[in-house]
Amino acid sequence: MNPFATFFVGASILMMLLVYVGTAAHKTKRWVGTILVAVTAFAAIYTVKTMGLQKGIDLQGGSEFIVKLEPGKNDDGTPKAVTSSDVQQAIDILLRRLSPNGEKDVSLQPEGTDRIVIQMPGISDEEIKDVRTKIQQVAHLEFRRVHPDSQAKLEQIKARGGIKEPGWIEMPYSKPLNAKDGSVIDRSELVRDTPDIEGKYVSRAFRTVDAEGNKVSLQFDSAGAKLFDELAAAHYQKQMAIIVDGQIHSAPVLQAKQFGGRAEISGGSKGFSQQEADTLATLLSNPLQNPMKILSESSVSSAYGKAAIDQGKWVLVAGLVITTIFMLIVYRLAGIVAIVGLLINLAVLFGSMALFGFTLTMPGIAGIVLTIGMAVDANVLIYERLREEMEAGKTFTGALEAAYEKAFSAIADSNITTLISAVILVVISGGLVKGFAVTLMIGLVSSMIGALIVTRVIFMWAIDKNVLTTLKTTHIVPDKVFDILSAAPKFIIASVVVTAISFSAIAMHGEHSFGIDFRGGGRVDVVLKKDAKIADKEFEALFKTLKQPDGKDLGTYYIQRKTDPTNGSENVSIRCEELSGPVIQGAINKQWNADTISGTSVATVGSVIGEELKKQSSVALFCALLAIFLYLIVRFEFAFAVGAIVALFHDVLIVPGLCVLFGQELSVIHVGALLAIAGYSINDTIIVFDRIRETIQRGTGGSMREMMNEAICKTLSRTLLTSSTTLAPMVVLLFLGNPAMLEFAMPITIGILLGTYSSIFIASPLVLWYAKKSGTSLKHQVLDAQIEQIKANQAIAAAAIAGGKK
């Protein structure tokens, strides 16, 4: 989209929003609101169509690596700390290695002081192994003289028990020698212990082909050409080893005294393949100053990504259909208004992601599904308040105005607390979890627009044209006051028992409670074609033939299976050791063709990243809970804040253990889900607390226990309905989502149920208990706060009148 057009449309929307909020004239508000909604929706849809959505690696296929630069060495051999210039030099070199001609889509971003995030969307499974080599191989080139009696001296050293020859070291060949009898012989040579010439003098390396096969030709700069010719003249007819990263590639005899600034590397007895020669030439042309270590890797085939997109579409459609049916059953015609608001909300969400270039990931799709439920949640708050106002005798128009006015504080409070969690998640987290946080954050803002502006404008037109004259709803809970607080001790005991079960589940599973994100390791996901089967025994037979890159066995692994209800295909998840993941993925892709497998993905995490993620997750949870607690202290009386935060801890502490009990391993995705749960749990609690304060302010009489029971029962229908609308899309995700979506769906589903339970049976009883124990008069605190608010509003009004007279 043209920048000027974007600015103009954005400024126009902002101006119309200010007019809509500021005007009190009904007709003006209706027309401005209509134009505002229409322009916003059209701009969002147009942006998505013209700019498109940027899909993450997990949806379009490709690889992501997080690599760490290891300290280099100074000239005297001492360690050299990694600097920002080293990181930038590594980024430039990696870019030339991974995309020599600039034709490949490569993204390299620095992370921290010594790390680089590499993303390569759209690369094939065959290219991934080559990419790993190009990332990890330093390509440190050296030329060293070979001892005249190399093999004889090596035999003597072996006979002397390993006592070395002064000034010489043993160095292996990069490839073994194939003997005439078919056996493989590992070879080595005795070479000088210091390089005769360094690879820094090589100005160019390229592949050549002759009768002997593929070779790598080297071209020296002027200084290097002079040094090499001097060395050749001094050691004419002697062997010179060409060494790359501590391995001899060839050791030819110097057949001339002058080489004209050129040298050649052959591939030994086996020779180079074309790809090997091209890769080595690229690496030697772009040597790294610092070694690199891959800390984590995530690779997804394009077929796997396409399957995830198709599954995501089904989940979104199913979530919308179930939510629509639910709203129609409960609220009839008004339910259609809420669904229209929801659709515009989704348009704004997708439009914002396209405009600002946010990446859509699989967890992001889970965030959108959660947004569907939370967007309708706000409408339920308004509708339930509308029903109560009409039952109190108000006209439909008057009740609607009162409903929007009174529901606003609860909607704002609940969205702000969830927004706090989402913002902290965006700031602290990265990767796929960040995708979830971004969609959740945008979804929260757009859902408020949909509930407070879009639906209100539609209601204005419906009332003015006599399309809607009343609100017909299905009663879920009878209008009675139950003595809920008297049963509080039983529920608190039940919560203690469930908490103990949750903790016990984690303790019993030990380190197996945590996934590869926290303890390191690998995971390979395989999506089978419909009706295709691969038995565990077939996998096990294949794995017995495999080795890790360092020659060790694959180590421990285990296989999990899940059937996709949308098409009946089977998803196989293989947990394994870190270095085994890429090996297993490559072997599976080679063993079974596209008729059996739809796609594969692999994720590996090193122990360093795992430890850091543990710390980051702890910090994120602590910051979110602290920020929410501080907001509650500002917004509510201290007793309410204490009750809310204890209920919140109750929910957040129980969820991880129950997830482990139901067969999941805790991952970074669970941390994102826990932060979303924190926001949602407070959401429900705030709705109850808002009504308790309102009941106290209204002065209905009775004891504090009676007023709290009345407030809880008044919001019981609303609490159950909002939980149901949020829960419905999550249940769809739970049964139809792929493994990545399932990791979100299960904790959030459990969290919604716990949040609903704790807001009714835990939070309010704790407020009453704390008030009694501390001798606090909640009634006086609430009424005093109301008086202070009235005084503040009067002062603002007086200042506005005085300003108008001037």
Side-chain angles (χ1 to χ4, degrees):
M1 186 182 285
N2 185 286
F4 294 104
T6 303
F7 175 78
F8 177 75
V9 172
S12 301
I13 290 173
L14 181 60
M15 289 299 296
M16 284 188 286
L17 181 61
L18 291 173
V19 172
Y20 175 84
V21 174
T23 185
H26 177 80
K27 193 171 182 180
T28 303
K29 201 178 193 75
R30 187 185 70 184
W31 276 106
V32 171
T34 302
I35 298 170
L36 172 63
V37 171
V39 170
T40 304
F42 175 79
I45 295 169
Y46 180 77
T47 303
V48 174
K49 285 181 72 70
T50 54
M51 299 182 70
L53 286 171
Q54 185 177 324
K55 294 189 285 290
I57 294 291
D58 57 338
L59 293 181
Q60 64 174 319
S63 291
E64 178 181 275
F65 299 86
I66 297 178
V67 299
K68 179 182 179 181
L69 271 69
E70 303 285 3
K73 290 185 177 181
N74 294 305
D75 294 337
D76 59 359
T78 57
K80 180 184 176 184
V82 177
T83 64
S84 57
S85 61
D86 291 333
V87 173
Q88 192 55 54
Q89 181 253 7
I91 288 175
D92 294 339
I93 288 173
L94 285 173
L95 186 59
R96 292 196 295 269
R97 284 186 175 189
L98 298 174
S99 183
N101 302 316
E103 79 284 2
K104 291 187 177 180
D105 185 6
V106 183
S107 169
L108 296 106
Q109 298 293 331
E111 183 180 82
T113 58
D114 59 357
R115 293 182 187 176
I116 301 171
V117 178
I118 305 167
Q119 290 186 328
M120 295 190 70
I123 63 172
S124 65
D125 297 333
E126 293 76 19
E127 293 176 294
I128 291 174
K129 184 178 180 181
D130 186 45
V131 168
R132 288 193 200 102
T133 302
K134 289 179 178 178
I135 290 172
Q136 287 187 294
Q137 190 164 345
V138 176
H140 181 60
L141 176 65
E142 298 172 334
F143 295 84
R144 301 193 189 202
R145 284 171 286 153
V146 179
H147 196 285
D149 299 315
S150 174
Q151 297 303 317
K153 284 291 183 183
L154 286 174
E155 289 295 329
Q156 289 178 15
I157 291 171
K158 188 176 180 181
R160 292 198 302 258
I163 298 175
K164 296 180 180 179
E165 189 79 8
W168 301 87
I169 59 170
E170 183 180 1
M171 193 166 286
Y173 277 86
S174 60
K175 293 182 179 179
L177 178 68
N178 290 329
K180 291 181 180 180
D181 60 1
S183 62
V184 177
I185 303 172
D186 290 326
R187 299 183 299 156
S188 59
E189 297 282 5
L190 196 64
V191 299
R192 294 295 299 173
D193 59 358
T194 56
D196 291 293
I197 296 181
E198 295 274 7
K200 63 184 178 182
Y201 295 108
V202 174
S203 61
R204 185 174 173 232
F206 53 93
R207 178 178 61 86
T208 58
V209 183
D210 59 18
E212 295 178 1
N214 292 291
K215 297 181 179 180
V216 176
S217 291
L218 307 175
Q219 186 172 314
F220 292 96
D221 58 19
S222 57
K226 183 181 177 182
L227 285 171
F228 196 82
D229 284 346
E230 290 175 355
L231 189 66
H235 301 282
Y236 177 62
Q237 293 293 331
K238 294 180 181 178
Q239 272 187 297
M240 178 68 69
I242 303 174
I243 300 161
V244 179
D245 290 339
Q247 292 184 322
I248 300 172
H249 275 258
S250 60
V253 175
L254 296 171
Q255 300 285 8
K257 294 183 178 181
Q258 288 189 333
F259 285 83
R262 293 180 181 274
E264 197 172 69
I265 306 175
S266 66
S269 60
K270 290 186 177 180
F272 286 125
S273 67
Q274 180 177 332
Q275 184 177 6
E276 286 174 334
D278 282 333
T279 298
L280 182 58
T282 301
L283 295 176
L284 293 177
S285 296
N286 303 285
L288 288 164
Q289 301 300 318
N290 298 76
M292 281 194 182
K293 180 181 181 182
I294 296 177
L295 297 180
S296 71
E297 173 189 347
S298 176
S299 298
V300 177
S301 68
S302 56
Y304 186 90
K306 184 179 182 302
I309 292 174
D310 293 340
Q311 200 169 31
K313 290 176 181 177
W314 275 106
V315 168
L316 285 173
V317 170
L320 275 172
V321 169
I322 289 177
T323 303
T324 301
I325 292 171
F326 182 86
M327 293 300 288
L328 288 176
I329 291 173
V330 178
Y331 295 111
R332 305 4 165 9
L333 195 56
I336 296 176
V337 176
I339 296 303
V340 172
L342 173 59
L343 293 174
I344 294 175
N345 165 31
L346 290 175
V348 171
L349 192 159
F350 285 119
S352 300
M353 292 191 69
L355 180 63
F356 296 110
F358 293 129
T359 302
L360 180 65
T361 61
M362 276 191 280
I365 293 174
I368 293 170
V369 174
L370 181 60
T371 298
I372 291 174
M374 296 185 77
V376 176
D377 188 343
N379 288 112
V380 170
L381 288 173
I382 294 167
Y383 289 176
E384 286 299 298
R385 178 64 78 166
L386 174 59
R387 180 176 63 81
E388 291 175 16
E389 295 295 331
M390 289 187 68
E391 289 174 353
K394 291 184 179 179
T395 63
F396 187 57
T397 305
L400 188 67
E401 291 294 326
Y404 274 96
E405 182 182 342
K406 292 181 178 179
F408 177 78
S409 63
I411 293 172
D413 283 333
S414 58
N415 278 278
I416 287 171
T417 50
T418 309
L419 200 60
I420 288 171
S421 297
V423 169
I424 288 173
L425 204 54
V426 168
V427 172
I428 293 179
S429 69
L432 298 180
V433 181
K434 197 166 192 172
F436 167 77
V438 167
T439 54
L440 182 60
M441 194 164 61
I442 298 173
L444 287 169
V445 176
S446 60
S447 67
M448 286 190 69
I449 294 171
L452 298 175
I453 297 178
V454 177
T455 57
R456 191 165 188 176
V457 169
I458 296 173
F459 272 124
M460 287 179 183
W461 283 103
I463 291 171
D464 291 349
K465 302 301 179 182
N466 290 321
V467 176
L468 267 176
T469 56
T470 187
L471 178 71
K472 294 181 179 178
T473 65
T474 302
H475 282 265
I476 304 297
V477 179
D479 291 329
K480 291 174 62 178
V481 177
F482 304 99
D483 189 7
I484 291 175
L485 293 178
S486 64
K490 297 177 183 177
F491 289 110
I492 290 174
I493 292 171
S495 291
V496 171
V497 171
V498 175
T499 304
I501 293 172
S502 174
F503 283 13
S504 299
I506 294 177
M508 287 174 64
H509 285 77
E511 66 172 12
H512 295 292
S513 301
F514 301 96
I516 63 172
D517 290 350
F518 293 136
R519 60 187 174 101
R523 185 183 74 198
V524 180
D525 289 311
V526 184
V527 179
L528 303 183
K529 289 280 189 180
K530 187 179 179 181
D531 299 327
K533 297 290 181 185
I534 302 177
D536 286 359
K537 290 182 178 179
E538 293 180 79
F539 282 122
E540 290 165 2
L542 173 65
F543 297 164
K544 286 178 181 177
T545 66
L546 304 178
K547 299 283 186 181
Q548 292 185 5
D550 56 6
K552 296 179 181 177
D553 291 335
L554 289 187
T556 57
Y557 63 86
Y558 60 95
I559 301 169
Q560 294 177 313
R561 296 174 182 269
K562 181 179 182 293
T563 302
D564 182 357
T566 59
N567 57 20
S569 65
E570 192 173 36
N571 294 335
V572 182
S573 183
I574 302 159
R575 300 298 175 101
C576 56
E577 295 182 4
E578 179 189 352
L579 297 178
S580 302
V583 176
I584 290 174
Q585 184 198 30
I588 289 173
N589 288 331
K590 189 176 180 181
Q591 180 77 7
W592 290 284
N593 57 30
D595 294 331
T596 306
I597 293 176
S598 294
T600 61
S601 74
V602 62
T604 64
V605 177
S607 57
V608 174
I609 289 283
E611 287 299 320
E612 289 182 357
L613 288 175
K614 283 181 184 178
K615 294 177 183 177
Q616 286 180 359
S617 302
S618 301
V619 170
L621 279 172
F622 175 78
C623 290
L625 294 175
L626 179 62
I628 290 171
F629 182 58
L630 293 175
Y631 178 80
L632 290 172
I633 289 176
V634 173
R635 188 70 182 81
F636 291 90
E637 290 71 31
F638 188 75
F640 286 109
V642 170
I645 206 69
V646 171
L648 180 56
F649 269 103
H650 164 274
D651 300 341
V652 170
L653 290 175
I654 290 178
V655 169
L658 292 184
C659 288
V660 171
L661 192 64
F662 294 139
Q664 286 195 328
E665 291 181 340
L666 302 179
S667 66
V668 176
I669 288 179
H670 284 82
V671 176
L674 285 175
L675 288 172
I677 289 166
Y680 185 83
S681 175
I682 286 293
N683 183 335
D684 264 355
T685 305
I686 283 173
I687 292 168
V688 176
F689 284 0
D690 260 350
R691 179 49 70 92
I692 292 173
R693 295 173 77 192
E694 185 182 325
T695 304
I696 294 171
Q697 289 168 356
R698 197 169 63 242
T700 55
S703 66
M704 182 56 63
R705 173 186 287 273
E706 290 171 344
M707 284 191 285
M708 289 182 79
N709 272 325
E710 180 188 343
I712 294 169
C713 292
K714 282 288 185 182
T715 57
L716 194 57
S717 174
R718 184 183 314 173
T719 301
L720 295 177
L721 284 170
T722 54
S723 299
S724 300
T725 54
T726 311
L727 192 63
M730 283 296 104
V731 172
V732 171
L733 200 62
L734 193 63
F735 288 101
L736 300 185
N738 62 19
M741 295 179 188
L742 183 63
E743 280 191 284
F744 268 113
M746 183 174 288
I748 290 178
T749 300
I750 296 170
I752 290 170
L753 295 172
L754 282 173
T756 305
Y757 161 80
S758 65
S759 66
I760 298 170
F761 301 111
I762 303 296
S764 298
L766 284 173
V767 172
L768 187 62
W769 173 84
Y770 179 82
K772 285 182 177 180
K773 286 292 180 182
S774 62
T776 303
S777 174
L778 279 178
K779 187 181 292 187
H780 287 157
Q781 284 190 348
V782 171
L783 293 175
D784 288 346
Q786 184 184 25
I787 293 169
E788 291 297 324
Q789 185 63 49
I790 292 171
K791 288 180 179 179
N793 291 341
Q794 288 174 343
I796 293 170
I801 293 169
K805 288 179 179 179
K806 290 181 181 180

